[in-house]
Amino acid sequence: METETTPNIPTESHGHGMNGTDKGRAAIKTQFLTTKEKFHELLDSGGKDPNGDKAIDDAGPKEMAEDSLEEPQEKKCKVDPDEQERTGKQDSKRMRGQNKSRPHMKPTSYDNRRLCPSIIQERETKCVYGDKCKFFHDVAEYMASKPADVGEHCYLYDTFGKCRYGLSCRFARAHTSADLKNLVNEDCVKAMEGRTPVRNSLDKDLQWRLRKKVVPFTASEAYMKTIFKGGHKAGEGWKKAAAVENADNCCSAAVHSQCSEGKKPQTDNQGTEVSQENLALVKTIGPLTDADVIKLRQCEKKQVDFKDKLYLAPLTTCGNLPFRRICKRFGADITCGEMAMCTNLLQGQSSEWALLKRHESEDLFGVQVEGCFPDTMTRCAELLNNKIDVDFVDINSGCPIDLVYKKGGGCGLMTRTNKFEQIIRGMNSVLDVPLTVKIRTGVQEKANIAHKLIPEMKRWGVSMITLHGRSREQRYTKSADWDYINTCSQLASPIPLFGNGDILSYDDAMKARETEVSGIMLARGALIKPWVFTEIKERRDWDISSSERLDVLRDFTHYGLEHWGSDTQGLEKTRNFLLEWLSFMCRYIPVGLLERVPQRINERPPYYLGRDYLESLMASQHVGDWIKISEMLLGPVPKNFNFLPKHKANAYK
């Protein structure tokens, strides 16, 4: 029996990928280096040098002692093979990518004394709950117990002319009259008429119908019948339909190719367009139905030009709408919502539907869904196609977390090709927009399988593929294998393939573009420095100042207050997401401090002092210092405040 020969596919690089990263710490100019003790001594002193002679920056925040906030432990270094062989010991524990069982405080727990919505919205009618209402109705009593305002100006009032949070707003002084009425700027309100800044919200009627399971899924049910057609020969029906669909796609591509080359398609005696491929491949199965007439071909769907775009990856937790607005401002071309579970969307969960919201500035926007069964994924695709405004839908087949993988989703789909094919074909049959897929190199570290899947996905009808140059086992450790990404991009042609992994600078992006990828996806690089999009487009390294970085954070808080609310609950939610982002942003090393430019994504910054107090504060990996930065923008934290970042810095060596 012949053994299967594997093509000469480069496996995971044992070097450092395209970056040429030196293992260890980043190279910083010696005059900025310091010790851990001196670094924290400076921050604790509020910007004064150890001798107390002068302050580096008089605008530094006041000291805040939080006994409960301890500095995270450094990631353990991987044991050197020679040392392991000599000692005979193995590093038994492996640091994971998330802090599990971390304390979770709901934003509502910071605001126990809340004003009734009927008072906030200044309704003419009284509260329908009367004496049973759990909220405050005495305005004077509420104002006496309300936390102090954070600032003099309300971003919502200045932008929209009216703050919908009224007296509960933490900037209420800016829009409250002497008799405690909410002020309205009629000029701003009139200027905003007709605009819908945020789309794709879940309306109550649809939510009710989803919960009662009365939403019809006609197209999905028709597709599912082809899968389970034939009793014990289940699956033969959809395979026959798939064969016809492949032939139809081939014919569409052939006709499209002829037209693009300026050739006229052949016609029969009656003037009907035909092609040799059509005659050779298409076989009729029974009579023509309405579904055959109505169904869109691949070439008839909405076309999206993905070529040479900068794609902001769908980032769980940190890739929220306010952060995407920041990245759009810096030059991101494509944005995508956070990963949403298809089953939660079908159940009408508000928190899951919030991940689909789209801001008006996102001109090329998609949503990413995760699931492991063709029925739920196809129904979800039909629901999204009918109810929200998106330019493409992405399937997550790269999520490495155990919760998703063990039930067959995320990376698990890469090893379940039969289900994967059914999912892709089913979603394609109900969508009017392109369907894209995000994958990894494989599941195991030294067993790449993406090169086997990509030709199959082309046949299944995928419009674009994104490849993260690491396996599930690697998570985010080691360098991305760009040689393998290059090989896969050649296999994917003419379908666009985006490469993802280790892009933190213009230099990294240029090396990535030397491969045959159609575009670049940025994930952690955008979290560490969102201005990387500007650097790539302007072809330079930007030595951004600490005050400019603070302005970026301030804009994020403004967008957050607009998105989550300017009351105490919304403000603390904004703070929480800001701190999650700062857990990545603190890894950034200013260009002017580097001995060797640019910074590499897997290099751990040593302790260093910045050119001013704020730059040093932003370099701290201590949670208490991140809270100081948040207090500069959102005021003091509540007394019972607690925070532990979701992600550890597990890419550091």
Side-chain angles (χ1 to χ4, degrees):
M1 186 174 67
E2 291 184 11
T3 56
E4 183 182 352
T5 57
T6 306
N8 187 19
I9 302 293
T11 55
E12 187 257 325
S13 176
H14 293 282
H16 310 299
M18 71 166 195
N19 288 337
T21 307
D22 297 327
K23 283 188 177 181
R25 304 198 172 197
I28 295 180
K29 294 175 182 177
T30 54
Q31 62 264 37
F32 297 106
L33 293 174
T34 186
T35 62
K36 177 180 177 180
E37 291 75 19
K38 289 183 179 179
F39 177 78
H40 287 297
E41 185 180 349
L42 171 75
L43 296 184
D44 292 341
S45 66
K48 297 178 180 178
D49 63 16
N51 298 324
D53 295 333
K54 61 177 182 178
I56 296 177
D57 186 2
D58 294 333
K62 63 181 182 180
E63 182 180 355
M64 183 191 69
E66 288 283 346
D67 297 332
S68 62
L69 298 173
E70 298 179 357
E71 185 163 6
Q73 294 181 355
E74 278 195 11
K75 175 172 170 58
K76 294 181 179 179
C77 296
K78 187 174 180 180
V79 177
D80 184 76
D82 298 332
E83 177 71 13
Q84 185 174 318
E85 187 177 343
R86 187 174 68 254
T87 59
K89 295 180 180 179
Q90 290 187 350
D91 187 16
S92 58
K93 290 188 179 180
R94 180 183 174 188
M95 294 288 282
R96 297 292 179 182
Q98 295 187 345
N99 285 314
K100 298 184 178 179
S101 303
R102 61 186 184 136
H104 178 65
M105 297 288 288
K106 291 185 177 181
T108 51
S109 61
Y110 301 124
D111 190 16
N112 295 326
R113 304 166 70 84
R114 299 169 65 188
L115 194 61
C116 180
S118 64
I119 305 296
I120 295 173
Q121 297 166 14
E122 298 180 345
R123 297 175 190 164
E124 293 181 0
T125 57
K126 292 185 177 181
C127 176
V128 294
Y129 296 101
D131 297 334
K132 295 181 180 180
C133 182
K134 62 181 180 180
F135 299 116
F136 270 83
H137 287 259
D138 189 329
V139 175
E141 185 182 356
Y142 170 78
M143 295 302 289
S145 62
K146 179 189 170 186
D149 279 3
V150 174
E152 298 290 335
H153 299 280
C154 175
Y155 177 76
L156 273 66
Y157 177 73
D158 294 341
T159 305
F160 301 101
K162 182 179 180 180
C163 178
R164 63 183 183 273
Y165 295 94
L167 294 174
S168 65
C169 175
R170 293 296 298 275
F171 306 84
R173 280 180 294 180
H175 50 77
T176 304
S177 63
D179 57 347
L180 299 179
K181 295 294 182 182
N182 199 23
L183 299 177
V184 178
N185 185 333
E186 296 294 346
D187 293 334
C188 284
V189 171
K190 189 172 289 186
M192 291 298 297
E193 278 183 3
R195 280 181 59 186
T196 308
V198 178
R199 287 168 281 174
N200 299 346
S201 298
L202 175 65
D203 63 78
K204 293 294 181 183
D205 177 61
L206 176 60
Q207 185 179 43
W208 181 87
R209 289 190 293 123
L210 285 170
R211 288 177 175 175
K212 297 296 181 182
K213 297 183 180 180
V214 294
V215 176
F217 295 101
T218 311
S220 302
E221 288 169 4
Y223 172 74
M224 294 308 297
K225 285 178 182 177
T226 65
I227 293 182
F228 299 109
K229 187 178 180 181
H232 66 282
K233 294 183 179 179
E236 288 187 5
W238 80 268
K239 286 181 180 178
K240 289 179 182 178
V244 176
E245 187 177 342
N246 284 337
D248 188 51
N249 287 340
C250 290
C251 298
S252 302
V255 173
H256 182 72
S257 176
Q258 286 181 358
C259 294
S260 63
E261 292 172 7
K263 298 178 183 178
K264 278 191 174 182
Q266 296 180 10
T267 59
D268 60 11
N269 294 332
Q270 297 176 349
T272 307
E273 291 183 4
V274 295
S275 65
Q276 292 180 358
E277 292 87 349
N278 212 11
L279 295 172
L281 294 174
V282 175
K283 297 178 181 178
T284 58
I285 303 178
L288 189 70
T289 64
D290 290 342
D292 298 318
V293 178
I294 297 170
K295 182 181 174 184
L296 291 175
R297 296 184 187 181
Q298 190 71 19
C299 61
E300 294 174 326
K301 292 188 176 186
K302 177 179 179 179
Q303 298 298 308
V304 175
D305 181 17
F306 292 107
K307 188 73 175 174
D308 293 326
K309 296 285 196 297
L310 294 178
Y311 186 171
L312 173 64
L315 302 162
T316 303
T317 304
C318 293
N320 45 66
L321 187 144
F323 177 75
R324 297 199 304 270
R325 289 181 66 181
I326 293 289
C327 291
K328 280 298 296 182
R329 203 184 68 190
F330 279 118
D333 297 312
I334 307 173
T335 54
C336 187
E338 302 173 61
M339 179 185 76
M341 302 287 188
C342 69
T343 49
N344 294 346
L345 293 173
L346 291 171
Q347 291 168 5
Q349 291 188 15
S350 301
S351 57
E352 210 73 18
W353 275 81
L355 306 177
L356 310 179
K357 289 185 178 180
R358 173 183 191 171
H359 191 261
E360 61 182 354
S361 63
E362 298 180 276
D363 49 354
L364 188 48
F365 173 77
V367 295
Q368 187 184 69
V369 292
E370 182 279 325
C372 48
F373 298 106
D375 55 343
T376 52
M377 288 290 275
T378 306
R379 288 190 183 97
C380 183
E382 185 177 0
L383 179 66
L384 299 180
N385 190 67
N386 296 334
K387 299 300 180 183
I388 66 172
D389 175 27
V390 291
D391 298 302
F392 64 93
V393 175
D394 186 66
I395 299 174
N396 185 319
S397 184
C399 182
I401 63 173
D402 295 339
L403 180 68
V404 173
Y405 175 76
K406 286 181 178 178
K407 69 177 184 179
C411 278
L413 281 177
M414 296 183 69
T415 58
R416 301 167 69 231
T417 52
N418 194 34
K419 289 292 182 189
F420 202 5
E421 179 178 1
Q422 292 176 359
I423 287 171
I424 291 175
R425 290 192 185 278
M427 294 180 73
N428 241 335
S429 69
V430 299
L431 284 172
D432 298 335
V433 295
L435 179 67
T436 66
V437 177
K438 187 173 188 290
I439 60 174
R440 284 177 175 255
T441 59
V443 178
Q444 281 78 32
E445 185 174 342
K446 296 180 181 179
N448 294 334
I449 59 174
H451 64 277
K452 299 178 183 178
L453 271 177
I454 287 171
E456 294 297 310
M457 288 192 287
K458 285 170 61 177
R459 189 168 56 83
W460 300 339
V462 168
S463 298
M464 193 265 280
I465 300 168
T466 304
L467 177 59
H468 183 175
R470 295 182 178 87
S471 65
R472 176 185 180 264
E473 248 180 24
Q474 287 176 271
R475 297 290 177 101
Y476 302 96
T477 58
K478 299 188 179 178
S479 297
D481 191 346
W482 278 87
D483 291 333
Y484 184 68
I485 293 174
N486 186 37
T487 301
C488 290
S489 66
Q490 296 169 6
L491 293 172
S493 181
I495 290 176
L497 184 141
F498 274 57
N500 172 225
D502 297 347
I503 306 294
L504 186 62
S505 65
Y506 161 68
D507 181 65
D508 294 333
M510 289 303 100
K511 289 180 180 178
R513 282 178 171 169
E514 290 173 5
T515 65
E516 296 187 25
V517 295
S518 303
I520 302 168
M521 174 181 276
L522 293 94
R524 285 179 301 156
L527 290 172
I528 294 171
K529 46 184 263 193
W531 51 91
V532 66
F533 296 102
T534 303
E535 290 186 337
I536 294 171
K537 291 197 169 181
E538 297 182 0
R539 304 189 175 195
R540 66 186 177 100
D541 292 308
W542 184 359
D543 189 9
I544 188 170
S545 67
S546 59
S547 59
E548 288 175 308
R549 289 160 66 192
L550 187 65
D551 288 338
V552 172
L553 296 175
R554 182 175 287 108
D555 289 338
F556 175 83
T557 59
H558 288 161
Y559 299 155
L561 294 171
E562 178 185 337
H563 186 59
W564 292 300
S566 59
D567 57 351
T568 299
Q569 182 176 337
L571 184 139
E572 293 308 326
K573 198 166 187 178
T574 301
R575 188 196 306 274
N576 190 76
F577 283 107
L578 174 66
L579 294 172
E580 293 283 5
W581 182 19
L582 285 172
S583 70
F584 285 93
M585 209 176 184
C586 66
R587 307 180 199 179
Y588 171 70
I589 305 172
V591 173
L593 277 60
L594 289 168
E595 189 73 46
R596 170 182 50 76
V597 177
Q599 176 187 358
R600 304 300 183 189
I601 201 166
N602 281 355
E603 291 179 338
R604 186 181 187 87
Y607 286 98
Y608 66 90
L609 297 178
R611 291 164 291 190
D612 54 46
Y613 172 74
L614 184 56
E615 197 165 75
S616 300
L617 185 66
M618 288 180 169
S620 174
Q621 295 184 36
H622 185 208
V623 182
D625 293 323
W626 305 340
I627 291 175
K628 287 182 184 179
I629 296 172
S630 78
E631 289 190 315
M632 297 167 69
L633 303 168
L634 296 169
V637 296
K639 292 180 180 179
N640 58 339
F641 186 81
N642 203 347
F643 175 78
L644 186 66
K646 180 177 181 180
H647 296 282
K648 296 178 181 177
N650 70 340
Y652 288 154
K653 299 293 182 185

